[in-house]
């Protein structure tokens, strides 16, 4: 059972409660998301065309989604013409079977893998282990969580839930020789020593793809460490895994989206390494794989084309929605229980795992709209989360107590006089629970007060205060 699958067995509320009690986790999250938020703000301020670029990015993705079949077929023709083999996987099980078959047919013993959330989505790490194939994660953060036996907690910084001190302890146990100090530079050098032999000795390298370029058949990877290039170049076989929504018409379109991706993800203008792979090694090439396989994965994406979640297919996996989410920044990624955490995960997890087991995720959102404000391709995430809430209500997945409560509220809301009376009584009753201007405990509302205090309300309702103000204005000479 994969880590996301295992965590789904525990309710979101229990996972969130555990995360809220972890002070070290809060420190680790604040260090990374706070820095990411600040760097993005600086990068966007220095890019006057950012809003125009967002509009263009949205238009590119919407065009591709509307003509997905055309561009996928074009990509397959051009990738095949360049010497690559294209495979189609309708779901995660078929994708795992294709990849493990390629590995077993090649008699691979060691596989290196560059960071790929699609690989996590389809359960590839566990599939390789079940096939008896050694897997080595080459991204530094993925190397950390592999040593810890964990799943990624963020799509850009998979190990952001771990502090530098915790990483140092992992390296001291797993690295031979262990790092001589726990400063970042020393620990990075230690990881390089551990991974270098794996890079050079791997039979197969597996990568994801940030973009699939239809008119050339090329795949594009974006990293800051160079691990993707070392993963895809030395091994004899290169396998690419990608969701079908990653397609773009041309290289120029990919570059337009890259301008948005990098600024939104890391606050930079360009990553250290942006590499386009177009087929396997050709005669005369100094290096490169002898075989290249591209596995295009659906896994629910075509279903999204025909429903209210279609706009989520615009996502370019930058992680900005997580960095600015007030919920994610309190509980981290593992509390969400799926492959994709944060606001985008709250939309995607019900698609991948079913709404019945993940209905708490759309309901966890505060609907403050920050995720939509920072999304580089203008995905209306709060609207999509509301759509899941509506589905949950219509499918009667909400608990009976909630349905009864909403029913009582509806009775009051249809009767303004009764609603006003209840509001006046409620406001005055709430003041009885306030001390020092705050409410720390509230009967029947423990979910609100368990981890935060509520401001003590004024002694009168809004309408009472408004009428008093208007009366005061009218009494002025």
């Amino acid at each position: 059972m994969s880590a996301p699958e295992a965590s789904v067995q525990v309710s979101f509320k229990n996972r969130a409660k555990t995360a809220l009690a972890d002070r070290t986790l809060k420190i680790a999250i604040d260090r990374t998301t706070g820095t990411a938020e600040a760097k993005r703000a600086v990068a966007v301020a220095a890019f006057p065309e950012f809003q125009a670029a967002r509009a263009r990015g949205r238009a590119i993705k919407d065009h591709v989604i509307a003509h997905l079949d055309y561009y996928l077929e074009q990509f397959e023709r051009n990738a095949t013409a360049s010497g690559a083999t294209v495979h189609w996987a309708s779901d995660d099980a078929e994708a795992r079977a294709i990849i493990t078959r390629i590995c077993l047919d090649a008699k691979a013993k060691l596989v290196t893998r560059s960071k790929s959330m699609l690989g996590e989505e389809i359960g590839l790490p566990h599939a390789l282990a079940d096939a008896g194939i050694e897997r080595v994660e080459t991204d530094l953060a993925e190397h950390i969580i592999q040593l810890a036996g964990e799943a990624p907690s963020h799509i850009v910084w998979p190990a952001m839930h771990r502090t530098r001190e915790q990483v140092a302890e992992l390296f001291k146990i797993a690295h031979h020789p262990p790092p001589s100090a726990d400063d970042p530079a020393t620990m990075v050098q230690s990881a390089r020593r551990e991974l270098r032999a794996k890079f050079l000795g791997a039979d197969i390298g597996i990568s994801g793809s940030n973009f699939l370029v239809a008119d050339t058949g090329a795949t594009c990877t974006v990293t800051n460490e160079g691990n993707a290039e070392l993963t895809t170049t030395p091994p004899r076989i290169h396998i690419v895994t990608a969701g079908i929504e990653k397609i773009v018409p041309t290289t120029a379109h990919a570059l337009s989206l890259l301008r948005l991706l990098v600024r939104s993800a890391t606050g930079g203008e360009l990553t250290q390494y942006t590499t386009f792979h177009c087929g396997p090694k050709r005669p005369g090439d100094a290096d490169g794989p002898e075989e290249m396989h591209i596995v295009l994965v659906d896994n629910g994406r075509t279903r999204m084309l025909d429903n209210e979640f279609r706009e989520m297919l615009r996502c370019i996996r930058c992680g900005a929605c997580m960095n600015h989410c007030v919920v994610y920044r309190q509980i981290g990624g593992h509390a969400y229980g799926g492959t994709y955490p944060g606001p985008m995960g709250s939309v995607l997890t019900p698609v991948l795992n079913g709404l019945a087991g993940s209905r708490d995720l759309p309901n966890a959102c505060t609907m403050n709209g920050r995720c939509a404000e920072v999304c580089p391709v203008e995905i209306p995430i709060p609207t999509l989360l509301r759509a899941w809430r509506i589905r949950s209500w219509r499918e009667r997945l909400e608990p009976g107590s909630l349905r009864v409560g909403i029913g009582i509220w509806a009775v009051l809301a249809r009767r303004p006089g009764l609603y006003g009376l209840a509001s006046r009584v409620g406001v005055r009753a709430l003041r009885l629970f306030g001390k020092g201007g705050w409410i720390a405990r509230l009967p029947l509302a423990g979910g609100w007060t368990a981890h935060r205090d509520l401001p003590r309300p004024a002694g009168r309702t809004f309408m009472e205060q408004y009428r008093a103000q208007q009366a005061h204005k009218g009494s002025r000479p």
Side-chain angles (χ1 to χ4, degrees), residues 361-413:
L361 300 184
N363 286 290
C365 179
T366 67
M367 295 294 178
N368 63 67
R370 287 285 283 148
C371 51
E373 289 176 13
V374 300
C375 177
V377 286
E378 300 180 334
I379 300 173
I381 295 177
T383 300
L384 304 185
L385 293 174
R386 277 194 294 272
W388 277 126
R389 292 183 181 185
I390 292 170
R391 277 202 183 194
S392 182
W393 183 266
R394 289 176 176 170
E395 294 176 18
R396 305 189 71 82
L397 298 176
E398 307 297 338
S401 58
L402 178 61
R403 300 187 74 88
V404 169
I406 294 293
I408 293 172
W409 178 86
V411 169
L412 294 173

Side-chain angles (χ1 to χ4, degrees), residues 334-354:
H334 289 155
Y336 287 83
T339 300
Y340 302 103
M344 55 95 74
S346 296
V347 177
L348 288 173
T349 300
V351 173
L352 299 172
N353 298 343

Side-chain angles (χ1 to χ4, degrees), residues 115-131:
K115 184 170 77 67
S116 165
M117 291 307 298
L118 191 280
E120 298 294 328
E121 177 187 321
I122 64 176
L124 183 57
H126 297 278
L128 293 173
D130 291 343

Side-chain angles (χ1 to χ4, degrees), residues 298-362:
D298 184 335
N299 204 29
R301 287 159 173 81
T302 52
R303 290 199 306 271
M304 295 169 68
L305 288 172
D306 297 322
N307 61 33
E308 61 268 50
F309 307 106
R310 179 188 182 96
E311 290 182 285
M312 197 64 216
L313 292 171
R314 289 206 297 264
C315 181
I316 57 175
R317 305 297 194 264
C318 68
C321 61
M322 301 173 201
N323 301 333
H324 295 76
C325 175
V326 295
V327 177
Y328 180 92
R329 291 177 67 159
Q330 296 299 317
I331 62 176
H334 289 155
Y336 287 83
T339 300
Y340 302 103
M344 55 95 74
S346 296
V347 177
L348 288 173
T349 300
V351 173
L352 299 172
N353 298 343
L355 181 58
S358 55
R359 56 157 292 276
D360 280 334
L361 300 184

